[in-house]
Amino acid sequence: LLSAYAAGFTEPHTAVQLGGLALALLALRALHVRSRAASVLLAASLLATIAATIVLVAAPGTAVRASLFTQQPLATAAINAVIHAAAFIAASMLNFSPMGALAAVIVPALLLSVAGGQAPALSQRAALLGITACLLTGLVLISGYMLPGFYATSQPPPARSYIIPQFIWMGALVSAGMLAGLRLRRSRRHQPVLRRAGVLVGAIAAIALSMHAIRFIGPLSQHAAAWDGRDASIRAAVASGATDMVVPPLVPDLAASIGLETIGPDAEGWINQCAAAWYGLRTLRAATADEPTAPAQLP
């Protein structure tokens, strides 16, 4: 039921869900995991996802939206999906969250390398194969996320949905880090050294992560204050009976800088229309750079 419910929201997520469940079933067979409960649960979830996908594709609104865009041939869309998935991974590692990616590998590796319990110690070959499989799985699932957008609109999915591939890639890195930690468990005589190194690396990673995050505090605080101020002014104008408003653009507008849609100067733009409907206005738009903010028009 949860799989059917989740698959009905957005095509990129649905593609990821289909791919993830199918790969999980294949992994059970490849690893010779004999668990009837896991097999039944995954198979039922996959069938529910397929049913929800059929409903999603057959819905009248899907055809209406598709008519607004130019479609790509499936083979071309698949190639573009893989290229953009690889580009996203590179951008995530090098630009979006380099310290987060590093921590996602190092922390689980250190924890599993020194922790007690019955977790198996992996051979070098098994660890390398597992790590490669984790990273390739991340690439495949992110390519699946990209595919519907290229196929239906000739464009990648909108930036607001990129939390999905980021979640996938962080999961792939954590899984790879866990396998690396299981490989390190073989060196029992090096456990004290590993423990001391783990504390040192963990402290360095924590400091680096904090310093990396601190540089965003100022711009994020300014953006939040500007957004709250504009929201309050719109609500006050609506309470006074305003029907049309021209508001100042946000400075800084962090959403626009990362590709998210924001209230713009075109009153007929879909984001503007959505915002106007939300606030109860007839029209709402942002002033251009050389345009003074107009007062709210009263009925």
Side-chain angles (χ1 to χ4, degrees):
L1 288 174
L2 179 61
S3 296
Y5 182 76
F9 278 98
T10 171
E11 294 87 348
H13 168 76
T14 303
V16 170
Q17 187 169 308
L18 279 170
L21 290 169
L23 288 174
L25 279 170
L26 290 174
L28 287 182
R29 285 187 168 275
L31 299 174
H32 305 292
V33 177
R34 300 185 181 277
S35 172
R36 180 178 175 81
S39 298
V40 170
L41 181 63
L42 289 172
S45 298
L46 180 60
L47 290 174
T49 303
I50 292 173
T53 303
I54 293 173
V55 174
L56 185 65
V57 172
T62 302
V64 173
R65 287 190 297 143
S67 66
L68 303 176
F69 301 95
T70 301
Q71 292 184 329
Q72 282 188 351
L74 184 58
T76 303
I79 294 172
N80 284 329
V82 174
I83 293 173
H84 277 72
F88 171 83
I89 290 172
S92 175
M93 298 282 285
L94 300 176
N95 186 25
F96 297 156
S97 55
M99 297 309 303
L102 185 64
V105 175
I106 291 177
V107 172
L110 291 174
L111 288 175
L112 279 182
S113 68
V114 300
Q118 302 300 317
L122 297 181
S123 66
Q124 182 173 347
R125 181 175 182 275
L128 288 176
L129 287 175
I131 290 171
T132 302
C134 290
L135 300 182
L136 285 177
T137 298
L139 175 63
V140 169
L141 291 180
I142 295 174
S143 299
Y145 156 86
M146 297 283 183
L147 182 59
F150 281 108
Y151 176 69
T153 68
S154 299
Q155 298 175 0
R160 63 179 181 273
S161 67
Y162 272 52
I163 189 174
I164 298 173
Q166 182 72 354
F167 175 81
I168 294 169
W169 188 241
M170 289 299 108
L173 292 179
V174 169
S175 301
M178 293 173 67
L179 292 173
L182 293 177
R183 166 58 188 162
L184 292 174
R185 289 173 70 92
R186 291 182 68 92
S187 304
R188 292 292 182 180
R189 65 179 182 275
H190 299 310
Q191 287 295 310
V193 177
L194 284 173
R195 191 173 286 109
R196 288 193 292 269
V199 173
L200 177 61
V201 173
I204 294 174
I207 295 172
L209 278 168
S210 300
M211 295 180 65
H212 183 70
I214 285 173
R215 68 190 183 98
F216 292 106
I217 292 177
L220 287 172
S221 299
Q222 294 175 20
H223 175 79
W227 198 99
D228 288 343
R230 191 169 74 173
D231 174 70
S233 67
I234 295 174
R235 292 183 183 277
V238 170
S240 300
T243 58
D244 303 272
M245 283 195 69
V246 179
V247 295
L250 294 178
V251 179
D253 193 345
L254 298 185
S257 69
I258 60 173
L260 296 177
E261 298 90 345
T262 60
I263 297 174
D266 181 11
E268 300 300 319
W270 76 278
I271 287 290
N272 291 42
Q273 293 185 36
C274 291
W278 170 259
Y279 285 111
L281 290 165
R282 185 170 57 196
T283 62
L284 175 64
R285 66 181 181 87
T288 59
D290 57 351
E291 176 186 13
T293 303
Q297 298 181 14
L298 302 180

